[in-house]
Amino acid sequence: MTMAIRVMLVDDQVLLRTGFRMVLAAQPDMEVVAEAGDGAEAIEMLRSTAVDVVLMDVRMPRLDGVEATRRICAQQDPPKVLILTTFDLDEYAFSGLKAGASGFMLKDVPPAELLAAIRSVHSGDAVVAPSTTRRLLDRFSPMLPSGEKEPKNKHVGKLTEREREVMLLVAQGLSNGEIAARLVLSEATVKTHVGRILTKLNLRDRVQVVVLAYETGLVRAGGGAG
């Protein structure tokens, strides 16, 4: 039997945590192992509790979710972080992605979508709502440097032509299936390419591919290749 996904809930609103806990507790493959009312408490709990996925609110007292995400993601072998936000295009969600979160969800997301997102982030196979992530980056891309001649991540140059092609499509929000159709490859081959891209660029997941592509100017606002 596979182990349940261990989830931590971080939100200063007890009622919201209760609602999320009830949804997750009904799933045979998920278990809420910890709850925290702010980022500082979450970091403290992670010292003694094994967690796979953190559902992280952003606006909290003491230590907000963005700084907490940054500190958590800087740890060795950290859990995946899913940012929870009230607004679709929110600078907090943008900052959370920059801090290392694997994606973000709206707080009023339908339960089925939240559960799918947790499983997706846990597996590392897909970014949460890549089209929304791309729109978020389009909105806040003026905050990012763009059009640099030398990418910040020097390892980008190590990618093969095909891997670079796949990276650009990932950055534009396409799923493995969509990339496979576009490049006339099998989905398994695309998955292999994505895995190699993550390894070569020392990135944790697809969302970091998207952020890096914007930071280095490989993709411009609007989703086009740079």
Side-chain angles (χ1 to χ4, degrees), residues 162 166 169 174-191 193-194 206:
R162 177 64 90 189
V166 170
L169 293 175
L174 274 66
S175 68
N176 284 356
E178 289 166 336
I179 294 170
R182 179 80 64 90
L183 300 179
V184 198
L185 299 170
S186 73
E187 209 164 324
T189 300
V190 172
K191 193 171 178 179
H193 282 311
V194 171
R206 295 167 73 106

Side-chain angles (χ1 to χ4, degrees), residues 84-146:
L84 293 171
T85 180
T86 311
F87 303 105
D88 190 356
L89 293 177
D90 186 346
E91 70 270 23
Y92 286 94
F94 170 81
S95 301
L97 294 180
K98 289 274 293 168
S102 295
F104 70 96
M105 300 296 290
L106 296 177
K107 281 191 174 181
D108 61 356
V109 64
E113 285 186 32
L114 176 67
L115 296 170
I118 292 170
R119 293 185 182 105
S120 174
V121 163
H122 179 248
S123 72
D125 280 344
V127 62
V128 179
S131 59
T132 310
T133 301
R134 191 181 70 241
R135 283 193 296 114
L136 185 81
L137 285 163
D138 285 345
R139 167 81 183 273
F140 293 104
S141 60
M143 300 178 190
L144 292 170
S146 62

Side-chain angles (χ1 to χ4, degrees), residues 8-30:
M8 172 188 269
L9 305 176
V10 187
D11 198 301
D12 59 333
Q13 296 182 50
V14 178
L15 199 59
L16 267 174
R17 293 206 311 266
T18 303
F20 284 133
R21 185 173 67 243
M22 287 172 66
V23 171
L24 269 57
Q27 303 305 304
D29 62 338
M30 292 185 194

Side-chain angles (χ1 to χ4, degrees), residues 154-173:
K154 60 183 182 294
H155 299 298
V156 171
K158 294 181 179 178
L159 299 181
T160 65
E161 192 174 337
R162 177 64 90 189
E163 286 164 355
R164 190 181 170 94
E165 207 173 359
V166 170
M167 178 184 175
L168 287 173
L169 293 175
V170 168
Q172 290 171 48

